[in-house]
Amino acid sequence: MATKTTAEKLATIQQGYTLEGATIELGAAIIDGELHKDAPVRLPLAMMNRHGLVAGATGTGKTVTLHMMAEQLSTAGVPVFLADIKGDLSGLATAAVGSDKLTARTQGIGQPWEGKAFPVEFLALGGDGNGVPVRATVTSFGPILLSRIMELNDTQESSLQLVFYFADKNGLELIDLKDLRAVIQFLTSDEGKDKLEELGGLSKATAGVILREIVNLEAQGLEKFFGEPEFNTAELLRTAPDGRGVVTCLELPTLQTKPMLFSTFLMWLLADLFEDLPEAGDLDKPKLVFFLDEAHLLFNGASKAFLDAITTTVRLIRSKGVGIFFVTQTPKDVPADVLGQLANRVQHALRAFTPEDAKALKATVSTFPLSDYDLEETLTSAGIGEAVITVMNEKGAPTPVALTRLRAPESVMGPADDALVRSTVAGSALLGKYGTAVDNPSAYEKLTGKGAAPTGPAAPEPSGGGPAGQAAPAGYDVDAEARRIEEEILGRPSSRPAPTPAPAPRAPQPPSEPQSQPGGMMGDLGGVLGGALGGGLKSMARSMGTQLGRELLRGVFGTSSTRRRRR
């Protein structure tokens, strides 16, 4: 194969990044050691929901890359979510000040630069930090994600799913950790032993292990992350009055002691968005771009059920207009099934100091298309603020690989002033909604008798001294919900019969048992839920009966938000 001249390489990149629609400007190409500002490298805005990867060794500029991309997305009217683990991205709220060094860089790549501030919303997980508190109810968080935080094994995870099933079936609201603790204590008590035996797959010994793990979470102070008011993920989709997308920064200053909690909460946000958003098809720009920093924390030691659920979410959320960018050190930090769905790649420099580093370098090179670069040499010699890039063009094909000097952000690179963050939080419309925790009557009060159960259509009827069954809310269309969930999970039209006009009102009749037909909805959905949620729910998914609607409300991760339950 003949070696290309510099002019030929330049023409290849210029042609490959000539795009028609709106774009995110990433920088200018470096070819044969020379910077070419007449060879801009771009990412089509419409392709950002094809997901992406921003990777590179520590200190190579990944955070600045997120910063720069978030600015342009906001300007284009696209809301952005950033997991701001170190607080470095809060500078988006402050306009940067120019310097001679900055001017030289921006002129070199042909970037018209102007200091700007961007609309930023600061969130803090459980109120741990400077931001509007973000909480989730335990029932919304679901058994798979909670098992991840508790580091349960597969058997214990499956058993926890049975506990959630019991609580759902009996109208026991799991709002915070004390609710979950109360349910397990009831099941392991003399009063609840019959209920425990009915669950079959849940042994008293395993329930005791789960109970100890819950107590351990409480001892670590993690109970403040669970409760009400629950954060509505629709808040992430807002735009400012001037039309720019709001950049939401979520921080957890004590990440060092709670890395699993942080990464799993990020996945809860994504799962809740996935369940809430309607199908959108191909859009001119995404509804939201979600940057998931320290992505390796999400996958380390993850169960098969957890990995399967991540893969499903990443694959399907694209059609709902959400783009996900995983941020980590090397592509090998991301499972192959997920990595294969990340069409846009920004790879900063890698180090090759050890044999393990060398293996990671070779693996990274193998994930790129053929190019005119010696990628092993390029990736180890790239400077700070430079990256090897290939993205999906408007026709769905990969663009040429280009070593790129990246654009400079127009807001402050680094933490914002604490006073600015506090004033921004104090003026946030979200503070009134989520600033103060509330403790409504729930499973703990029902089981211990220390508070009155809520009244209204959703309140269960008392039955002796234990929890009682609860019917679906009035007006709840079980068949419609079953069809919707089946189509989303199985990716094909529902096998359930189309709805027929409702007959005239009549006296309630006892519910009939669902027919179990090979290849039908109950069999297929039972298999899917069994695979995604673990063996503990497989038989339940195939024998749902009158509880069909309620169990179907649990999504791919076993999540079940208050909003969806009330619809």
Side-chain angles (χ1 to χ4, degrees):
M1 179 177 175
T3 302
K4 289 184 179 180
T5 65
T6 299
E8 290 172 329
K9 296 176 185 177
L10 175 62
T12 297
I13 290 177
Q14 287 174 328
Q15 182 178 357
Y17 289 92
T18 299
L19 305 167
E20 296 179 359
T23 62
I24 299 297
E25 300 291 328
L26 298 177
I30 301 172
I31 303 169
D32 292 337
E34 183 179 350
L35 179 65
H36 291 267
K37 65 180 180 181
D38 57 341
V41 177
R42 306 179 169 107
L43 196 168
L45 190 59
M47 292 293 114
M48 289 202 75
N49 67 334
R50 265 55 172 189
H51 310 317
L53 177 73
V54 178
T58 301
T60 55
K62 297 191 297 296
T63 301
V64 177
T65 298
L66 309 188
H67 194 130
M68 172 266 292
M69 294 172 72
E71 289 181 344
Q72 293 186 68
L73 286 165
S74 175
T75 301
V78 178
V80 179
F81 175 88
L82 295 168
D84 191 9
I85 289 176
K86 299 182 288 291
D88 292 345
L89 293 164
S90 59
L92 280 155
T94 307
V97 178
S99 66
D100 292 342
K101 183 178 179 181
L102 179 62
T103 299
R105 181 183 182 89
T106 56
Q107 289 181 348
I109 63 175
Q111 175 188 355
W113 188 92
E114 179 185 357
K116 297 176 184 175
F118 294 84
V120 180
E121 188 75 66
F122 297 105
L123 305 181
L125 200 52
D128 187 3
N130 294 322
V132 176
V134 174
R135 305 177 189 87
T137 62
V138 168
T139 195
S140 172
F141 208 67
I144 293 181
L145 296 180
L146 192 60
S147 295
R148 177 74 172 147
I149 291 176
M150 296 165 67
E151 301 185 51
L152 302 181
N153 62 33
D154 289 348
T155 299
Q156 294 160 352
E157 178 182 308
S158 181
S159 297
L160 184 61
Q161 292 165 9
L162 291 170
V163 174
F164 273 73
Y165 169 77
F166 173 80
D168 285 351
K169 181 178 179 181
N170 290 279
L172 296 170
E173 300 87 352
L174 303 178
I175 303 301
D176 50 27
L177 290 178
K178 75 176 185 296
D179 290 318
L180 183 58
R181 174 162 46 84
V183 170
I184 296 177
Q185 285 174 330
F186 169 78
L187 289 171
T188 55
S189 69
D190 290 339
E191 184 182 7
K193 62 182 180 182
D194 291 340
K195 299 290 184 182
L196 184 69
E197 290 178 2
E198 290 175 11
L199 290 177
L202 177 61
S203 71
K204 188 169 184 177
T206 301
V209 171
I210 297 172
L211 183 60
R212 288 196 299 272
E213 291 300 328
I214 294 170
V215 173
N216 185 42
L217 291 182
E218 292 174 322
Q220 296 177 50
L222 301 190
E223 74 278 359
K224 64 186 174 183
F225 302 110
F226 297 99
E228 292 182 320
E230 180 176 272
F231 185 75
N232 185 345
T233 50
E235 311 285 9
L236 304 179
L237 304 175
R238 294 176 300 139
T239 54
D242 61 5
R244 290 183 298 171
V246 172
V247 181
T248 302
C249 293
L250 175 68
E251 69 165 333
L252 180 64
T254 54
L255 169 72
Q256 292 81 359
T257 59
K258 304 178 182 72
M260 194 74 74
L261 174 70
F262 192 85
S263 61
T264 309
F265 246 90
L266 297 184
M267 207 63 229
W268 172 75
L269 292 172
L270 270 179
D272 196 69
L273 282 167
F274 170 74
E275 296 298 332
D276 260 11
L277 290 174
E279 293 291 324
D282 292 327
L283 302 173
D284 292 336
K285 61 183 181 182
K287 294 180 180 179
L288 172 72
V289 175
F290 196 104
F291 290 96
L292 209 162
D293 204 357
E294 301 292 344
H296 65 281
L297 297 175
L298 195 62
F299 303 110
N300 288 346
S303 69
K304 183 179 186 302
F306 188 79
L307 292 176
D308 287 347
I310 292 176
T311 304
T312 300
T313 302
V314 173
R315 184 175 69 250
L316 298 181
I317 204 169
R318 177 192 68 77
S319 64
K320 299 191 174 191
V322 176
I324 307 170
F325 278 70
F326 293 87
V327 186
T328 188
Q329 293 201 7
T330 72
K332 74 184 183 97
D333 293 335
V334 181
D337 287 346
V338 176
L339 188 64
Q341 299 177 55
L342 310 184
N344 303 304
R345 302 281 302 280
V346 180
Q347 178 67 59
H348 288 265
L350 292 174
R351 311 302 181 210
F353 299 142
T354 68
E356 188 65 25
D357 290 341
K359 288 172 60 178
L361 175 62
K362 288 184 179 295
T364 299
V365 170
S366 69
T367 64
F368 278 89
L370 292 176
S371 74
D372 296 323
Y373 293 89
D374 179 345
L375 287 181
E376 286 196 29
E377 193 277 332
T378 300
L379 285 174
T380 53
S381 61
I384 296 173
E386 297 176 352
V388 173
I389 293 175
T390 180
V391 301
M392 182 178 285
N393 68 20
E394 294 159 324
K395 297 180 180 179
T399 58
V401 174
L403 175 62
T404 306
R405 182 161 297 167
L406 299 169
R407 286 170 60 98
E410 297 179 317
S411 53
V412 169
M413 291 182 285
D417 183 75
D418 283 346
L420 173 63
V421 175
R422 287 194 295 269
S423 65
T424 302
V425 173
S428 171
L430 301 184
L431 190 62
K433 295 182 182 180
Y434 306 109
T436 304
V438 296
D439 189 8
N440 292 314
S442 50
Y444 173 79
E445 287 77 14
K446 290 182 179 181
L447 291 170
T448 63
K450 293 185 179 180
T455 59
E461 293 293 328
S463 175
Q470 181 180 2
Y476 181 76
D477 189 340
V478 171
D479 282 343
E481 189 65 20
R483 290 174 59 83
R484 182 186 73 79
I485 296 293
E486 182 190 7
E487 289 172 357
E488 285 190 2
I489 294 178
L490 301 181
R492 59 166 173 72
S494 172
S495 58
R496 293 179 67 83
T500 56
R506 59 179 182 176
Q509 298 294 322
S512 59
E513 291 297 319
Q515 295 181 355
S516 179
Q517 299 175 354
M521 184 268 180
M522 295 306 296
D524 287 348
L525 187 56
V528 171
L529 289 176
L533 300 182
L537 286 184
K538 192 167 186 177
S539 60
M540 285 183 283
R542 288 175 174 162
S543 59
M544 285 176 174
T546 58
Q547 293 295 325
L548 177 62
R550 187 178 295 111
E551 270 63 72
L552 282 176
L553 286 173
R554 290 208 172 273
V556 175
F557 275 99
T559 56
S560 176
S561 81
T562 304
R563 301 182 306 283
R564 291 193 295 277
R565 293 195 303 276
R566 288 175 178 171
R567 286 176 185 167

